[in-house]
Amino acid sequence: MALETRYRDTFSSTVRKDGENLFGQFAVSIYQGGSEQFSCEVKDGEGLFDISFVCKNKSVEMICDCEGIKNKPCGHLWAAILTADKMYVFKYGYK
């Protein structure tokens, strides 16, 4: 199952739109991808943010080092999800 499909309801429509804009601007740079882990950087107008996803027990732990993640999912994570799905990062290891 695609990450976008599974986690869509976790992100507000505003946050998804922010992430889609970042995705459309090619703001995501992957530096590690595999069947159980994905790491990237997302650049926006405020800086460069590190993102990591780790598959654990049929779920994905998502981490962004921006300030917004402390309270809710951020656009950086949504952009990274769209990128991971496009690149088939978890095609074989995530279900």
Side-chain angles (χ1 to χ4, degrees):
M1 175 186 293
L3 292 174
E4 179 182 2
T5 303
R6 182 160 184 170
Y7 291 102
R8 182 175 187 80
D9 293 339
T10 304
F11 293 79
S12 71
S13 60
T14 302
V15 170
R16 288 194 314 267
K17 184 174 180 174
D18 290 344
E20 289 163 5
N21 287 335
L22 290 168
F23 176 75
Q25 296 168 11
F26 303 100
V28 181
S29 299
I30 299 169
Y31 55 85
Q32 181 180 9
S35 63
E36 295 180 3
Q37 187 171 347
F38 172 69
S39 299
C40 64
E41 295 175 330
V42 178
K43 184 175 183 177
D44 69 9
E46 308 224 352
L48 190 63
F49 301 96
D50 290 315
I51 311 286
S52 64
F53 296 165
V54 178
C55 290
K56 291 183 177 180
N57 302 320
K58 296 188 179 183
S59 67
V60 178
E61 178 181 314
M62 297 180 255
I63 301 168
C64 177
D65 68 354
C66 78
E67 292 296 317
I69 196 62
K70 292 180 181 176
N71 296 319
K72 56 187 174 182
C74 62
H76 308 118
L77 284 174
W78 191 250
I81 283 172
L82 296 175
T83 301
D85 283 349
K86 181 179 179 182
M87 302 302 291
Y88 300 103
V89 171
F90 296 121
K91 182 177 180 181
Y92 300 107
Y94 176 72
K95 303 195 186 318

